[in-house]
Amino acid sequence: QVQLVESGGGSVQSGGSLRLSCAASGYASYSRYCLGWFRQAPGKEREGVASFDSDGTRSYADSVKDRFTISQDNAKNTLYLQMNSLKPEDTAMYYCAATWGPCLSLLPTVFGYWGQGTQVTVSS
């Protein structure tokens, strides 16, 4: 059973930084997997932010490239999202997600396992 628990959200001013964490379990026994970060703002659809393939490949949405970094600590079974130069439009609930196989897409429908989310609020 895959379990994902996010933490690290909060309120920051524009230009600030936050690091989100996702404690993940139940996926490491699979030889190939994809972990991702998604976000959903009020009244908007959930969108992909970044993905981390078990082969080390990382992908980012254009809106966060050069500002956000996704990484994984295998020893701690934790996925991270370092967010720098935050903007008010980054305000959203952020979710960690997992699926089996390679990272083929940042579409939410591809991912079958989800955490409960952590809120990020960026004020101007």
Side-chain angles (χ1 to χ4, degrees):
Q1 181 72 16
V2 176
Q3 291 187 326
L4 304 168
V5 180
E6 304 94 333
S7 61
S11 297
V12 295
Q13 290 191 330
S14 182
S17 297
L18 281 174
R19 188 177 78 160
L20 305 183
S21 300
C22 174
S25 62
Y27 70 93
S29 60
Y30 290 83
S31 59
R32 193 72 186 272
Y33 56 83
C34 177
L35 302 174
W37 285 101
F38 295 78
R39 66 186 182 187
Q40 187 167 18
K44 294 189 177 181
E45 293 187 353
R46 190 169 297 187
E47 62 174 356
V49 174
S51 66
F52 185 96
D53 195 303
S54 53
D55 70 357
T57 304
R58 308 174 194 194
S59 297
Y60 298 92
D62 289 342
S63 58
V64 306
K65 278 180 182 177
D66 301 323
R67 298 190 300 122
F68 291 9
T69 302
I70 190 170
S71 62
Q72 182 191 35
D73 185 330
N74 275 324
K76 297 181 179 179
N77 290 328
T78 302
L79 181 73
Y80 299 102
L81 185 68
Q82 178 66 44
M83 305 185 296
N84 299 328
S85 302
L86 282 162
K87 305 174 181 180
E89 50 264 44
D90 294 318
T91 295
M93 184 72 80
Y94 282 71
Y95 299 90
C96 174
T99 188
W100 311 131
C103 290
L104 299 177
S105 169
L106 270 175
L107 288 175
T109 51
V110 173
F111 291 75
Y113 300 93
W114 294 85
Q116 83 290 348
T118 185
Q119 178 67 38
V120 172
T121 303
V122 184
S123 58
S124 57

